[in-house]
Amino acid sequence: MASRIPEDAYLKDISAHYNHLTIPRRLRQFSTLDAEVWGEVVVSEGEVDLYLESQREPIRCTPQAPVVIPVGTAFRLESAGRPARFEIRYYHEPKLHDGGELAALLAAGASPRQRPKACA
């Protein structure tokens, strides 16, 4: 899969560590990540299969080959039949696409979620 996490995305959260026996039901059934959130399946041991709703064949996630879950893509995870250990890293795209605007907000003491009032 050729998808890549955007360069300006930031790490938002990391899941618990799962193994081949503890993959939660919500990850074993097709689901979609929140808007503007990318996922990355990072395997530390063994192999995990990632199924994307748009593809017939699974994508094998290994310690040497983490796999990206694109925004808005339905996916599910399955054990590859052997012991495995993995986590999912969640990345968020910045709401502000202009770095200068973000710097101005931070310099003014406003949080990135608030916009400064316009000057007339």
Side-chain angles (χ1 to χ4, degrees):
M1 170 156 214
S3 291
R4 292 187 352 187
I5 297 169
E7 286 184 32
D8 56 350
Y10 60 91
L11 182 62
K12 180 179 180 180
D13 198 9
I14 299 175
S15 72
H17 280 92
Y18 304 113
N19 66 41
H20 62 291
L21 300 174
T22 63
I23 301 173
R25 178 179 293 146
R26 65 182 167 73
L27 294 177
R28 288 184 281 128
Q29 299 173 348
F30 276 108
S31 61
T32 306
L33 299 176
D34 293 339
E36 299 181 6
V37 175
W38 292 75
E40 181 180 35
V41 181
V42 179
V43 177
S44 56
E45 176 185 329
E47 300 174 339
V48 177
D49 287 334
L50 171 69
Y51 290 84
L52 300 177
E53 198 169 50
S54 60
Q55 297 181 349
R56 288 185 173 267
E57 297 297 318
I59 300 166
R60 183 66 46 99
C61 309
T62 69
Q64 298 79 25
V67 178
V68 172
I69 303 167
V71 171
T73 302
F75 74 96
R76 70 183 178 88
L77 292 165
E78 249 183 48
S79 168
R82 291 174 254 196
R85 185 171 167 82
F86 71 97
E87 66 188 22
I88 301 175
R89 296 180 184 169
Y90 300 97
Y91 293 85
H92 196 286
E93 294 180 21
K95 296 223 184 263
L96 299 175
H97 296 288
D98 179 356
E101 185 179 0
L102 177 59
L105 283 172
L106 294 174
S111 82
R113 294 177 193 256
Q114 300 171 335
R115 294 220 177 234
K117 293 181 182 175
C119 297

